[in-house]
Amino acid sequence: MLELTGLHKSIGGNEILHGVNLNIRKGEVLAVLGPSGSGKTTLLRCLNFLEKADSGSVTLLGSTLDMHTASRREIADYRKHTAFVFQNFNLFANKTALHNVTEGLIVARKMPKAEAEAIGMKALKRVGLANKADSYPSQLSGGQQQRVAIARAIAAEPDVIMLDEPTSALDPELIGEVLNVIRQLAEDGMTMIIVTHEITFARSVATDILFMDGGRALVQTDTKNFFEKNDNKRVREFLSSLNERMFLNENDESNKKNISHAHRGGPSHGKRSGMRKKRRRK
Amino acid sequence: MNQRLADILLESFPRIFTQGLLMTIPLTVLSFALALVIAMLCAMIQIANVKGLRQAVRFYIWLIRGTPLLVQLYLVYFGLPDLGIVLPAFPCAVLVFALNEGAYCAETMRAAIESVPKGQLEAGYCVGMSYFQTMRRIILPQAFRTAFPPLSNSLISMIKDTSLAANITVAEMFMTAQRVAGRTYEHLALYAEVAVIYLIFCTVITRLQAFGEKRLARMNGGDVIRA
Ligand SMILES: Nc1ncnc2c1ncn2[C@@H]1O[C@H](COP(=O)(O)OP(=O)(O)O)[C@@H](O)[C@H]1O
Ligand SMILES: [Mg+2]
């Protein structure tokens, strides 16, 4: 459904992406993994034309765009089919949660206000925040803000949602609620590209993994294969460094507190284990 | 206080005050409204980086901020007639005040717009809005909240600066007070009186500013730093 070929991007004379390819089919979830600085954010930003690529082309739903020469019109059309979730949420600070969701529908898609608000409320319900419809971003926790951002992304029924480290700006105890929402979207068949460091999450939700290193997409393969049979040296190193970090975290006193807190804290834990059961039943 | 002085003050107070309402206030309001339009245009040209025009705007701001307001008034009112351009005093004052304040407010507005995080514009793009749609609905409302206190400052300055128009024969408050002082030789009393009247006007604006700030904060979720 979406195919990217030969994406090159330099910033300030340094080439950051050296010809990246990727493809994703409808209903798939592609997790983008890789060390910090490997170009994951830049990749997503180019994919949504927030950065202008030096070269490369992207095919979405059968129509191909040259990423260097695409016109404003073409980009606007392309964006009708995509949505973006930022690492730091970027909710409109002067709009309530509901109006964050409806703004694009009303202004960009010329939808009547009543219809947009009905859709907006439905999207907020889907992320469990219907009761916060009238709150401003400054009145919401990080996790809630990110869920509103996800509601904003799904409201226009995009064909693909791109998420750049959606949980990395969050306190540990807020990560679960956001991951649950994304997991639910995946189960509902939403096509997504997610940059993430939540390796367990990627492993359980993603259908495919793209591994980035030094501005190249080293590996794109299905999730099972990536974790079980991968013999790429860099991937191995990356995974073992993550394991090490997880091990360290588990020995960390303050983290233990967080973990036990999450266990007591009920809702997110309960939901998650419930979902796991559901998945197993399938 | 002797009876004569009390009579002079009582008699001149309504005269000066009325002149304030009829001259100083309209002069200020007109000039400031025009200044805001100029400032908005200049700020947008700089933010949107319109080629050529940007340099022109920078030149205008440099020129205005680098020369005294009084000199600008004299240049236009007494100087331009040498080139055959003769403007009546009141329009001339409005023009000079607007151009002068416009340059300062342009910088206020530019800084306010630049203080809005870039992510707000990108989020607008990502939900399909254009540059101008995002500017109008997301960026400018946030920038306006930031710009509001310094713009109120400018307005307060301008009310007082309109007293300079007395120099080019605009019969505003200060000139009225000057006339009474010249006639009665009660300089201390008259200038103190006109100072009090300026203070009254400025107090009203300060109150309006506090009210406006509260409203703007509420329209943005009301998060302010307050110990
Ligand atoms: N605006 C920028 N200016 C200069 N260098 C940048 C900029 N953005 C990213 N880079 C560089 O590009 C590389 C990839 O960055 P990024 O895409 O953010 O990586 P990741 O998201 O994988 O951590 C890094 O080396 C970073 O320093
Ligand atoms: Mg990144």
Side-chain angles (χ1 to χ4, degrees):
Chain A
M1 187 186 72
L2 183 144
E3 184 167 1
L4 166 72
T5 31
L7 169 60
H8 286 262
K9 170 71 185 169
S10 319
I11 298 178
N14 286 338
E15 189 164 88
I16 285 163
L17 297 174
H18 317 280
V20 176
N21 304 326
L22 70 80
N23 67 75
I24 178 166
R25 283 182 297 272
K26 192 169 163 46
E28 281 187 347
V29 176
L30 176 68
V32 181
L33 307 181
S36 196
S38 56
K40 306 182 295 296
T41 296
T42 310
L43 166 65
L44 279 203
R45 288 175 60 82
C46 287
L47 255 184
N48 216 353
F49 293 90
L50 291 175
E51 304 274 354
K52 189 174 192 172
D54 301 335
S55 64
S57 68
V58 60
T59 307
L60 179 63
L61 299 163
S63 53
T64 302
L65 280 187
D66 181 314
M67 295 173 83
H68 185 65
T69 59
S71 69
R72 212 174 283 179
R73 250 223 97 82
E74 289 172 321
I75 294 173
D77 280 342
Y78 174 90
R79 283 191 179 133
K80 286 208 174 105
H81 300 281
T82 68
F84 201 91
V85 174
F86 296 86
Q87 189 168 1
N88 55 352
F89 334 131
N90 284 342
L91 290 183
F92 303 131
N94 60 328
K95 302 272 169 192
T96 61
L98 178 61
H99 290 149
N100 261 277
V101 181
T102 58
E103 186 70 8
L105 302 176
I106 295 170
V107 179
R109 284 164 210 250
K110 312 280 178 242
M111 199 181 272
K113 199 164 171 229
E115 190 184 335
E117 292 194 343
I119 292 176
M121 282 311 296
K122 228 168 71 194
L124 284 178
K125 243 178 232 141
R126 236 172 126 184
V127 300
L129 285 175
N131 59 331
K132 296 286 182 190
D134 295 325
S135 300
Y136 284 88
S138 59
Q139 298 162 335
L140 299 172
S141 73
Q144 291 170 335
Q145 288 187 56
Q146 193 60 298
R147 281 148 68 199
V148 172
I150 292 172
R152 177 170 72 178
I154 59 180
E157 299 185 350
D159 293 289
V160 53
I161 302 183
M162 305 171 198
L163 305 95
D164 185 15
E165 300 201 32
T167 60
S168 66
L170 298 177
D171 289 341
E173 71 267 29
L174 300 180
I175 291 177
E177 63 186 64
V178 172
L179 292 184
N180 280 334
V181 166
I182 299 171
R183 191 189 301 267
Q184 190 58 52
L185 290 182
E187 287 182 8
D188 296 345
M190 181 63 79
T191 314
M192 290 185 277
I193 304 177
I194 311 179
V195 173
T196 185
H197 287 294
E198 299 288 334
I199 224 76
T200 0
F201 173 79
R203 193 164 180 171
S204 69
V205 171
T207 47
D208 273 40
I209 306 282
L210 178 82
F211 182 74
M212 295 277 302
D213 190 39
R216 283 171 223 282
L218 285 194
V219 181
Q220 180 178 355
T221 176
D222 66 83
T223 306
K224 198 168 149 62
N225 198 30
F226 181 84
F227 284 101
E228 288 166 15
K229 306 205 189 86
N230 211 303
D231 50 6
N232 184 299
K233 184 165 159 284
R234 290 293 296 147
V235 173
R236 283 270 176 76
E237 280 170 16
F238 176 71
L239 289 177
S240 70
S241 81
L242 278 182
N243 280 336
E244 234 163 72
R245 212 177 58 198
M246 269 197 280
F247 179 73
L248 285 176
N249 278 348
E250 269 159 26
N251 286 328
D252 179 333
E253 271 311 303
S254 68
N255 243 321
K256 246 188 213 157
K257 242 184 265 158
N258 272 334
I259 289 165
S260 65
H261 184 76
H263 274 260
R264 256 188 289 118
S268 76
H269 172 67
K271 242 191 227 161
R272 236 192 294 183
S273 63
M275 216 166 298
R276 231 179 269 138
K277 263 180 234 142
K278 224 178 8 190
R279 297 202 121 214
R280 239 181 269 136
R281 270 205 303 276
K282 275 186 199 166
Chain B
M1 205 195 291
N2 65 45
Q3 188 57 43
R4 175 179 167 272
L5 185 55
D7 284 345
I8 290 172
L9 285 178
L10 275 178
E11 187 255 347
S12 60
F13 186 89
R15 267 184 65 197
I16 302 175
F17 196 86
T18 313
Q19 208 53 28
L21 291 180
L22 293 180
M23 227 14 162
T24 300
I25 298 294
L27 180 57
T28 307
V29 169
L30 262 177
S31 308
F32 198 71
L34 262 176
L36 287 182
V37 174
I38 294 171
M40 190 67 215
L41 281 174
C42 291
M44 287 303 285
I45 285 170
Q46 291 184 82
I47 297 283
N49 210 350
V50 185
K51 303 251 152 54
L53 280 182
R54 210 190 94 90
Q55 276 72 27
V57 166
R58 290 311 308 173
F59 176 76
Y60 153 69
I61 292 174
W62 170 77
L63 191 70
I64 295 289
R65 293 204 303 180
T67 51
L69 177 55
L70 188 56
V71 174
Q72 292 164 9
L73 275 171
Y74 271 65
L75 255 176
V76 175
Y77 187 71
F78 298 113
L80 287 189
D82 289 356
L83 301 176
I85 305 170
V86 182
L87 284 175
F90 187 82
C92 174
V94 170
L95 180 73
V96 172
F97 287 135
L99 283 174
N100 183 278
E101 203 58 56
Y104 290 93
C105 293
E107 289 294 89
T108 302
M109 287 193 182
R110 181 178 62 82
I113 295 170
E114 283 173 355
S115 77
V116 177
K118 182 167 137 241
Q120 296 283 307
L121 180 61
E122 293 182 344
Y125 285 155
C126 286
V127 299
M129 294 199 282
S130 68
Y131 177 81
F132 284 104
Q133 285 171 335
T134 313
M135 267 292 160
R136 192 164 55 79
R137 311 228 358 149
I138 308 296
I139 314 286
L140 291 182
Q142 291 180 51
F144 184 63
R145 185 187 166 195
T146 309
F148 187 75
L151 289 179
S152 305
N153 242 352
S154 297
L155 177 60
I156 289 175
S157 282
M158 189 184 246
I159 286 217
K160 296 174 295 173
D161 287 348
T162 54
S163 57
L164 291 176
N167 288 285
I168 60 165
T169 76
V170 177
E172 43 65 71
M173 278 203 320
F174 180 63
M175 184 185 260
T176 313
Q178 260 181 324
R179 281 190 185 144
V180 182
R183 182 155 49 74
T184 60
Y185 295 102
E186 294 293 349
H187 296 284
L188 175 63
L190 260 301
Y191 291 131
E193 183 173 55
V194 75
V196 167
I197 296 176
Y198 277 111
L199 202 52
I200 292 171
F201 285 150
C202 291
T203 307
V204 172
I205 297 181
T206 307
R207 284 290 160 83
L208 288 176
Q209 177 187 351
F211 174 75
E213 274 181 37
K214 263 198 211 116
R215 275 204 62 131
L216 284 170
R218 217 171 328 124
M219 281 159 59
N220 284 277
D223 59 324
V224 284
I225 296 178
R226 191 137 292 167

